Protein backbone atom coordinates (compact mmCIF):
# COMPACT_ATOMS: atom_id res chain seq x y z
CA UNK A 1 0.00 0.00 0.00
CA UNK A 2 2.70 2.45 1.01
CA UNK A 3 4.76 1.45 -2.06
CA UNK A 4 1.96 2.26 -4.47
CA UNK A 5 1.43 5.62 -2.74
CA UNK A 6 5.11 6.35 -3.14
CA UNK A 7 4.98 5.37 -6.81
CA UNK A 8 2.03 7.70 -7.28
CA UNK A 9 3.97 10.56 -5.72
CA UNK A 10 7.07 9.78 -7.78
CA UNK A 11 5.22 9.89 -11.08
CA UNK A 12 3.66 13.19 -10.00
CA UNK A 13 0.09 11.95 -10.31
CA UNK A 14 -1.09 14.43 -7.67
CA UNK A 15 0.38 17.32 -9.71
CA UNK A 16 -1.17 16.13 -12.98
CA UNK A 17 -4.56 17.92 -12.55
CA UNK A 18 -2.76 21.24 -11.99
CA UNK A 19 -0.67 20.81 -15.14
CA UNK A 20 -3.74 19.68 -17.13
CA UNK A 21 -5.68 22.75 -16.00
CA UNK A 22 -2.84 25.08 -17.02
CA UNK A 23 -2.45 23.46 -20.46
CA UNK A 24 -6.20 23.50 -21.15
CA UNK A 25 -6.36 27.21 -20.39
CA UNK A 26 -3.34 27.93 -22.59
CA UNK A 27 -4.80 25.89 -25.46
CA UNK A 28 -8.06 27.85 -25.42
CA UNK A 29 -6.09 31.10 -25.35
CA UNK A 30 -3.86 30.10 -28.27
CA UNK A 31 -6.93 28.99 -30.25
CA UNK A 32 -8.49 32.43 -29.72
CA UNK A 33 -5.31 33.97 -31.18
CA UNK A 34 -5.57 31.72 -34.28
CA UNK A 35 -2.35 29.85 -33.47
CA UNK A 36 -3.80 26.29 -33.06
CA UNK A 37 -6.79 26.07 -35.41
CA UNK A 38 -8.38 22.86 -36.71
CA UNK A 39 -7.14 20.63 -33.83
CA UNK A 40 -3.52 21.61 -34.67
CA UNK A 41 -0.69 22.23 -32.24
CA UNK A 42 0.20 20.45 -29.04
CA UNK A 43 1.12 21.41 -25.51
CA UNK A 44 2.99 19.64 -22.75
CA UNK A 45 4.24 20.16 -19.20
CA UNK A 46 6.63 18.04 -17.17
CA UNK A 47 4.84 16.62 -14.15
CA UNK A 48 7.86 14.81 -12.70
CA UNK A 49 11.47 14.62 -13.83
CA UNK A 50 12.49 11.38 -12.10
CA UNK A 51 10.88 9.29 -13.42
CA UNK A 52 9.97 11.50 -16.36
CA UNK A 53 6.23 12.01 -16.76
CA UNK A 54 4.56 14.56 -18.98
CA UNK A 55 1.07 16.05 -19.25
CA UNK A 56 0.36 16.39 -22.98
CA UNK A 57 -2.60 17.14 -25.22
CA UNK A 58 -4.45 14.18 -26.64
CA UNK A 59 -4.25 13.79 -30.44
CA UNK A 60 -6.87 15.48 -32.60
CA UNK A 61 -8.67 17.57 -30.00
CA UNK A 62 -10.17 21.01 -30.68
CA UNK A 63 -8.06 23.49 -28.73
CA UNK A 64 -10.92 26.01 -28.75
CA UNK A 65 -12.73 23.97 -26.11
CA UNK A 66 -9.69 22.27 -24.62
CA UNK A 67 -10.63 20.63 -21.33
CA UNK A 68 -8.72 18.89 -18.54
CA UNK A 69 -10.06 15.57 -19.91
CA UNK A 70 -8.21 16.23 -23.19
CA UNK A 71 -4.84 16.08 -21.42
CA UNK A 72 -3.01 12.78 -20.89
CA UNK A 73 -0.25 11.77 -18.51
CA UNK A 74 2.54 9.88 -20.32
CA UNK A 75 5.90 8.45 -19.33
CA UNK A 76 9.30 9.15 -20.89
CA UNK A 77 8.58 6.66 -23.68
CA UNK A 78 5.21 8.17 -24.59
CA UNK A 79 3.15 5.44 -22.91
CA UNK A 80 -0.19 6.71 -21.51
CA UNK A 81 -0.34 6.45 -17.71
CA UNK A 82 -3.53 8.44 -17.12
CA UNK A 83 -6.42 9.71 -19.23
CA UNK A 84 -8.17 8.53 -22.36
CA UNK A 85 -7.01 8.95 -25.96
CA UNK A 86 -3.74 8.85 -27.88
CA UNK A 87 -0.93 11.24 -27.14
CA UNK A 88 -0.11 13.74 -29.86
CA UNK A 89 1.72 12.35 -32.91
CA UNK A 90 4.50 14.82 -32.10
CA UNK A 91 5.10 13.47 -28.60
CA UNK A 92 8.61 12.36 -29.60
CA UNK A 93 9.54 15.96 -30.38
CA UNK A 94 8.30 17.13 -26.96
CA UNK A 95 10.29 14.39 -25.24
CA UNK A 96 13.40 15.28 -27.26
CA UNK A 97 13.17 18.95 -26.22
CA UNK A 98 12.52 18.08 -22.56
CA UNK A 99 15.50 15.73 -22.44
CA UNK A 100 17.92 18.03 -24.30
CA UNK A 101 16.94 21.38 -22.81
CA UNK A 102 15.74 20.25 -19.39
CA UNK A 103 12.50 22.09 -20.21
CA UNK A 104 9.53 22.06 -17.85
CA UNK A 105 7.07 22.76 -20.65
CA UNK A 106 7.04 22.54 -24.47
CA UNK A 107 4.46 24.40 -26.54
CA UNK A 108 3.84 24.12 -30.30
CA UNK A 109 1.68 26.30 -32.54
CA UNK A 110 0.64 26.15 -36.21
CA UNK A 111 0.44 29.87 -36.89
CA UNK A 112 0.15 31.61 -40.26
CA UNK A 113 3.42 33.52 -39.88
CA UNK A 114 5.45 30.48 -38.78
CA UNK A 115 4.19 28.68 -41.90
CA UNK A 116 5.07 31.54 -44.25
CA UNK A 117 8.48 32.41 -42.79
CA UNK A 118 9.69 28.82 -42.33
CA UNK A 119 9.23 28.42 -46.08
CA UNK A 120 10.73 31.79 -47.04
CA UNK A 121 13.92 31.26 -45.01
CA UNK A 122 14.41 27.49 -45.36
CA UNK A 123 17.36 28.02 -47.73
CA UNK A 124 19.17 30.02 -45.05
CA UNK A 125 18.67 27.30 -42.46
CA UNK A 126 16.99 29.64 -40.03
CA UNK A 127 15.55 33.02 -39.32
CA UNK A 128 17.54 35.82 -37.70
CA UNK A 129 15.58 38.22 -35.50
CA UNK A 130 17.36 41.21 -33.95
CA UNK A 131 16.90 44.75 -32.70
CA UNK A 132 13.44 44.35 -31.16
CA UNK A 133 12.53 45.28 -27.59
CA UNK A 134 10.26 42.21 -27.42
CA UNK A 135 13.35 39.95 -27.60
CA UNK A 136 13.83 40.79 -23.92
CA UNK A 137 10.88 38.51 -23.15
CA UNK A 138 13.09 35.51 -24.00
CA UNK A 139 14.86 33.85 -21.08
CA UNK A 140 18.32 35.35 -20.48
CA UNK A 141 17.98 38.16 -23.05
CA UNK A 142 18.72 41.59 -21.56
CA UNK A 143 18.84 43.89 -24.55
CA UNK A 144 17.02 44.61 -27.79
CA UNK A 145 20.42 44.25 -29.50
CA UNK A 146 20.23 40.48 -28.97
CA UNK A 147 20.32 38.40 -32.15
CA UNK A 148 18.01 35.38 -32.00
CA UNK A 149 18.56 32.57 -34.49
CA UNK A 150 15.45 30.44 -35.01
CA UNK A 151 16.56 27.26 -36.84
CA UNK A 152 14.26 25.89 -39.57
CA UNK A 153 13.85 22.14 -40.03
CA UNK A 154 12.26 20.46 -43.06
CA UNK A 155 8.90 18.93 -42.11
CA UNK A 156 8.37 15.15 -42.08
CA UNK A 157 5.74 12.62 -41.02
CA UNK A 158 8.49 10.28 -39.86
CA UNK A 159 8.57 11.30 -36.20
CA UNK A 160 11.56 9.14 -35.30
CA UNK A 161 13.65 10.84 -38.00
CA UNK A 162 12.25 14.27 -37.21
CA UNK A 163 13.01 13.85 -33.49
CA UNK A 164 16.58 12.90 -34.36
CA UNK A 165 16.95 16.00 -36.59
CA UNK A 166 15.53 18.18 -33.80
CA UNK A 167 18.12 16.73 -31.40
CA UNK A 168 20.95 17.54 -33.84
CA UNK A 169 19.72 21.08 -34.47
CA UNK A 170 19.25 21.85 -30.76
CA UNK A 171 22.76 20.56 -30.08
CA UNK A 172 24.16 22.77 -32.87
CA UNK A 173 22.27 25.82 -31.57
CA UNK A 174 22.46 25.62 -27.76
CA UNK A 175 21.20 29.20 -27.32
CA UNK A 176 18.10 28.91 -29.51
CA UNK A 177 14.82 29.51 -27.67
CA UNK A 178 12.78 27.68 -30.32
CA UNK A 179 12.72 26.28 -33.84
CA UNK A 180 10.44 26.23 -36.88
CA UNK A 181 9.24 23.22 -38.84
CA UNK A 182 8.83 24.15 -42.52
CA UNK A 183 5.23 25.03 -43.51
CA UNK A 184 4.20 23.51 -40.18
CA UNK A 185 4.79 25.61 -37.08
CA UNK A 186 6.76 26.88 -34.12
CA UNK A 187 8.18 25.00 -31.14
CA UNK A 188 9.40 26.68 -28.00
CA UNK A 189 9.82 25.74 -24.34
CA UNK A 190 10.49 27.10 -20.88
CA UNK A 191 11.40 26.12 -17.35
CA UNK A 192 7.69 26.05 -16.58
CA UNK A 193 4.37 26.51 -18.37
CA UNK A 194 4.29 30.27 -17.75
CA UNK A 195 7.73 30.79 -19.31
CA UNK A 196 6.94 28.57 -22.32
CA UNK A 197 3.69 30.51 -22.87
CA UNK A 198 5.60 33.80 -22.70
CA UNK A 199 8.08 32.47 -25.27
CA UNK A 200 5.27 31.54 -27.67
CA UNK A 201 3.77 35.03 -27.30
CA UNK A 202 7.15 36.72 -27.84
CA UNK A 203 8.18 34.57 -30.80
CA UNK A 204 4.76 34.73 -32.50
CA UNK A 205 4.87 38.53 -32.12
CA UNK A 206 8.38 38.68 -33.62
CA UNK A 207 7.44 36.32 -36.47
CA UNK A 208 4.46 38.50 -37.35
CA UNK A 209 6.57 41.68 -37.22
CA UNK A 210 9.25 40.05 -39.40
CA UNK A 211 6.68 38.79 -41.90
CA UNK A 212 4.71 42.02 -42.13
CA UNK A 213 7.90 44.08 -42.48
CA UNK A 214 9.21 41.85 -45.25
CA UNK A 215 5.90 41.88 -47.10
CA UNK A 216 5.55 45.67 -46.85
CA UNK A 217 9.07 46.27 -48.14
CA UNK A 218 8.55 43.90 -51.06
CA UNK A 219 5.57 45.82 -52.43
ZN1 LIG B 1 2.48 20.25 -35.40
Amino acid sequence: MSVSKEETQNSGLERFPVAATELAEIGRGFYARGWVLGTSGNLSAVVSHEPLTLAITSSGVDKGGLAVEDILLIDGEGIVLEGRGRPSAETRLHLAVVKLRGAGSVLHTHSVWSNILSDEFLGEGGLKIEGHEMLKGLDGVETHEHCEWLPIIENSQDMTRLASTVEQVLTQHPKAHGFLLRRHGLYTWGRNVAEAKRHIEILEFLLEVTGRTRFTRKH
Side-chain angles (χ1 to χ4, degrees), residues 154-211:
E154 180 62 87
N155 194 29
S156 171
Q157 301 305 317
D158 181 342
M159 286 303 148
T160 307
R161 208 176 66 188
L162 197 52
S164 141
T165 308
V166 164
E167 284 168 15
Q168 283 170 26
V169 168
L170 290 185
T171 306
Q172 283 163 8
H173 301 281
K175 290 186 177 167
H177 290 84
F179 60 87
L180 296 170
L181 296 179
R182 184 193 185 196
R183 294 184 174 180
H184 178 159
L186 165 70
Y187 266 86
T188 187
W189 52 87
R191 277 168 292 199
N192 48 44
V193 173
E195 186 174 87
K197 173 176 177 275
R198 192 181 81 227
H199 284 172
I200 282 281
E201 290 178 352
I202 294 290
L203 291 171
E204 286 292 358
F205 176 95
L206 291 167
L207 287 171
E208 185 167 348
V209 167
T210 304

Side-chain angles (χ1 to χ4, degrees), residues 60-73:
V61 295
D62 179 0
K63 307 300 182 297
L66 198 64
V68 169
E69 298 73 41
D70 298 322
I71 313 293
L72 307 172
L73 183 71

Side-chain angles (χ1 to χ4, degrees), residues 123-165:
E124 292 165 45
L127 177 62
K128 187 168 72 173
I129 306 174
E130 59 186 338
H132 290 278
E133 183 70 13
M134 280 291 259
L135 285 162
K136 287 162 62 185
L138 299 174
D139 178 42
V141 175
E142 313 241 313
T143 166
H144 66 282
E145 290 170 346
H146 171 77
C147 178
E148 181 72 16
W149 180 254
L150 210 50
I152 301 172
I153 297 169
E154 180 62 87
N155 194 29
S156 171
Q157 301 305 317
D158 181 342
M159 286 303 148
T160 307
R161 208 176 66 188
L162 197 52
S164 141
T165 308

Side-chain angles (χ1 to χ4, degrees), residues 5-158:
K5 190 181 172 191
E6 191 179 311
E7 279 172 0
T8 300
Q9 285 170 348
N10 284 345
S11 64
L13 208 55
E14 78 284 1
R15 291 189 296 277
F16 174 49
V18 177
T21 304
E22 282 184 303
L23 293 179
E25 192 181 327
I26 283 174
R28 294 192 300 271
F30 283 4
Y31 181 88
R33 301 295 307 269
W35 295 338
V36 288
L37 298 177
T39 76
S40 70
N42 32 72
L43 320 167
S44 72
V46 171
V47 172
S48 75
H49 281 282
E50 194 59 52
L52 179 60
T53 60
L54 211 61
I56 191 163
T57 40
S58 182
S59 182
V61 295
D62 179 0
K63 307 300 182 297
L66 198 64
V68 169
E69 298 73 41
D70 298 322
I71 313 293
L72 307 172
L73 183 71
I74 61 167
D75 68 12
E77 302 300 319
I79 307 295
V80 177
L81 302 174
E82 207 45 46
R84 274 185 296 175
R86 278 183 302 117
S88 158
E90 292 174 53
T91 296
R92 282 172 187 273
L93 305 191
H94 285 251
L95 289 170
V97 173
V98 165
K99 287 171 186 170
L100 267 171
R101 287 294 204 258
S105 175
V106 181
L107 303 177
H108 168 49
T109 50
H110 286 201
S111 60
V112 170
W113 287 113
S114 66
N115 271 258
I116 294 173
L117 294 172
S118 60
D119 198 34
E120 283 276 293
F121 289 90
L122 179 73
E124 292 165 45
L127 177 62
K128 187 168 72 173
I129 306 174
E130 59 186 338
H132 290 278
E133 183 70 13
M134 280 291 259
L135 285 162
K136 287 162 62 185
L138 299 174
D139 178 42
V141 175
E142 313 241 313
T143 166
H144 66 282
E145 290 170 346
H146 171 77
C147 178
E148 181 72 16
W149 180 254
L150 210 50
I152 301 172
I153 297 169
E154 180 62 87
N155 194 29
S156 171
Q157 301 305 317
D158 181 342

